[in-house]
Amino acid sequence: MNVTRTQVGIVGGGPAGLMLSHLLAKQGISNVVIESRDHDTIANTHRAGILEQPSVAMLTDTGVDGRVLTVGDEHEGINLRFKGESHLLNFPELVDATVTLYAQNEVFIDLAAARARDGGDVRYESEVTEIFDLKTDTPKFRYRSVAEGADPDALQEVHCDILVGADGSRSFCRRAVRDEPGHQDFTTEYPFAWFGILCEAPKSFPELIYANSPRGFALISQRSETVQRMYFQCDPNTNVDDWSEDRIWDELQSRVAGPDGFELKTGPIFDKTVLPFRSFVREPMSHGNLFLAGDAAHTVPPTGAKGLNLAFADVRVLFEALDSFYSTGSRALLDSYSDTALRRVWKAQNFSYWMTTMLHTTAEENPFSTRRSLGDLESVTSSVYGRQYLAECYTGWPNSRP
């Protein structure tokens, strides 16, 4: 069996794993990244992305690429729309911050290119089969190539000082220690999903529109000047084949309609998907010398635009802990990693849950809960402090705080 020795083994080659690999390499800390998918599959898996300013800085200030500044679309606010009326929240005026619309697969493309440019050891189409010795000084994992023509029985092994699970919401690393004592999973399921489309059309509005309507939630998002991404709340069992283009546009328009006559700009739809979602947190985010980051440790509904930003925040905290460990020999920051990361995670969970429940409706909803949600929206938009709170949470908390 071929054995590789490295300082940090990273399972998962998405944005979180590649960003950690990039930061470690800049400090001379050797690492190997194992990813089950091939490069092109990840690069062409379209996922929306709202990046907070610290996330943008992690890409630009560390020498990944400046494409996020030239291709990304900086946004100065969002539009909360309810009762058919728009309420624009101006982030620079409220909290002196902006966000950048930049798809997650574009982030991956930039990071993958940076690792290739810098000679990073990223092994795509490699499936982890076993992790072990996590409570020793040399945690290990085995993997096999799943590339076409590869021998599925030919296992390889990686020995490292620290093992990082950044392998997404279906994390092999997390599941591998699920029966270990001292762990707890916190989960809440949502009774709705998002019906998402990509279409060829100009922007309907300069900023994103988050709409509460009697028919349910809608998000009018963007992808570029000519391609737009939009969503509407639906049943998780919805079949996209049951929805024609005309029916989709009628549904979206009904959810943003109002006395101001606002109309969406429409065009050919070339992608349709249903996205069920939930909130999940694993505590603690570590086990021996295994450390979880990103979706492997927690997921949030997309309403609060926190997913990728939380992953990058985990990476920042974990990188600082690893850098300290290798430069000083102290495990203090590694041992506090989970507690530090979880403080931000639960703040983000609270914000995402609040945004989701305030903007969505459910089949069981009664007139009281409907009016209460509208009261919540009225309270936020009519108060400068309410607008500031939402803006602060949406644009992200400073790195000096969890």
Side-chain angles (χ1 to χ4, degrees):
M1 182 183 297
N2 183 47
V3 175
T4 300
R5 183 67 175 90
T6 191
Q7 290 173 294
V8 180
I10 302 172
V11 179
L18 292 183
M19 175 58 81
L20 180 61
S21 173
H22 171 70
L23 295 174
L24 291 172
K26 284 179 66 66
Q27 291 300 102
I29 301 170
S30 66
N31 63 88
V32 174
V33 181
I34 305 297
E35 169 56 49
S36 61
R37 298 164 293 176
D38 65 89
H39 174 281
D40 290 349
T41 294
I42 309 174
N44 291 295
T45 300
H46 299 288
R47 296 184 64 188
I50 296 289
L51 298 183
E52 300 166 0
Q53 286 181 346
S55 296
V56 172
M58 286 183 74
L59 293 169
T60 57
D61 295 353
T62 65
V64 174
D65 195 290
R67 254 186 3 121
V68 66
L69 300 179
T70 57
V71 178
D73 188 4
E74 186 178 24
H75 281 235
E76 296 188 345
I78 59 173
N79 183 8
L80 292 180
R81 189 170 175 86
F82 58 97
K83 295 182 179 179
E85 298 178 350
S86 292
H87 304 265
L88 184 63
L89 276 66
N90 186 301
F91 293 158
E93 290 181 359
L94 292 167
V95 292
D96 193 26
T98 62
V99 295
T100 299
L101 185 72
Y102 195 57
Q104 290 190 35
N105 56 304
E106 300 292 346
V107 175
F108 164 79
I109 290 170
D110 293 347
L111 284 163
R115 296 310 296 125
R117 176 198 67 201
D118 299 338
D121 191 346
V122 182
R123 305 177 187 182
Y124 297 103
E125 296 182 272
S126 299
E127 181 182 76
V128 174
T129 60
E130 183 182 6
I131 64 174
F132 53 101
D133 289 348
L134 298 178
K135 291 188 176 181
T136 73
D137 292 335
T138 310
K140 307 171 182 70
F141 62 89
R142 291 180 181 145
Y143 72 93
R144 63 186 175 193
S145 173
V146 293
E148 185 177 355
D151 180 359
D153 297 321
L155 294 178
Q156 299 192 60
E157 194 165 284
V158 176
H159 296 190
C160 48
D161 305 323
I162 302 294
L163 176 57
V164 176
D167 48 341
S169 59
R170 296 181 177 87
S171 172
F172 179 93
C173 294
R174 184 187 69 238
R175 288 184 282 113
V177 296
R178 63 187 167 194
D179 296 327
E180 295 290 337
H183 289 79
Q184 188 171 1
D185 291 344
F186 299 87
T187 306
T188 186
E189 301 286 345
Y190 294 86
F192 40 75
W194 282 6
F195 191 116
I197 66 165
L198 282 168
C199 65
E200 297 175 2
K203 295 178 182 179
S204 292
F205 194 78
E207 309 294 353
L208 274 61
I209 299 174
Y210 289 76
N212 168 296
S213 83
R215 296 185 63 86
F217 169 76
L219 171 59
I220 311 305
S221 186
Q222 303 163 1
R223 182 69 187 274
S224 69
E225 293 297 328
T226 58
V227 174
Q228 312 308 322
R229 180 177 287 278
M230 304 182 193
Y231 304 90
F232 62 86
Q233 177 187 340
C234 68
D235 186 279
N237 298 314
T238 297
N239 184 348
V240 296
D241 294 332
D242 294 338
W243 286 76
S244 66
E245 287 200 16
D246 287 344
R247 186 183 179 194
I248 291 170
W249 286 121
D250 287 346
E251 189 63 39
L252 282 166
Q253 182 60 48
S254 72
R255 299 192 186 196
V256 298
D260 58 0
F262 175 73
E263 291 189 4
L264 297 173
K265 292 182 171 60
T266 64
I269 295 171
F270 61 89
D271 184 73
K272 298 185 290 186
T273 187
V274 172
L275 303 171
F277 51 90
R278 64 174 184 158
S279 294
F280 167 83
V281 179
R282 158 66 62 88
E283 287 194 6
M285 291 169 54
S286 59
H287 175 80
N289 276 321
L290 167 67
F291 297 84
L292 302 176
D295 286 358
H298 44 73
T299 59
V300 291
T303 328
K306 285 283 159 270
L308 182 54
N309 296 296
L310 264 187
F312 272 15
D314 289 348
V315 166
R316 176 181 55 81
V317 175
L318 185 53
F319 163 70
E320 291 172 355
L322 289 166
D323 188 31
S324 173
F325 173 65
Y326 283 109
S327 61
T328 70
S330 171
R331 287 188 60 96
L333 293 184
L334 275 176
D335 292 340
S336 64
Y337 162 71
S338 179
D339 289 341
T340 302
L342 282 168
R343 286 197 292 273
R344 182 184 290 262
V345 167
W346 280 113
K347 287 170 68 173
Q349 289 286 2
N350 175 63
F351 173 65
S352 298
Y353 183 86
W354 173 60
M355 284 280 285
T356 300
T357 53
M358 178 170 62
L359 288 163
H360 290 69
T361 59
T362 66
E364 298 77 23
E365 195 154 295
N366 57 43
F368 178 87
S369 57
T370 299
R371 302 293 280 188
R372 189 210 58 77
S373 293
L374 291 173
D376 208 352
L377 286 162
E378 291 277 11
S379 297
V380 169
T381 56
S382 64
S383 164
V384 65
Y385 301 109
R387 297 194 300 275
Q388 283 178 334
Y389 171 74
L390 192 153
E392 178 190 28
C393 294
Y394 196 95
T395 58
W397 303 281
N399 283 339
S400 59
R401 291 187 279 141

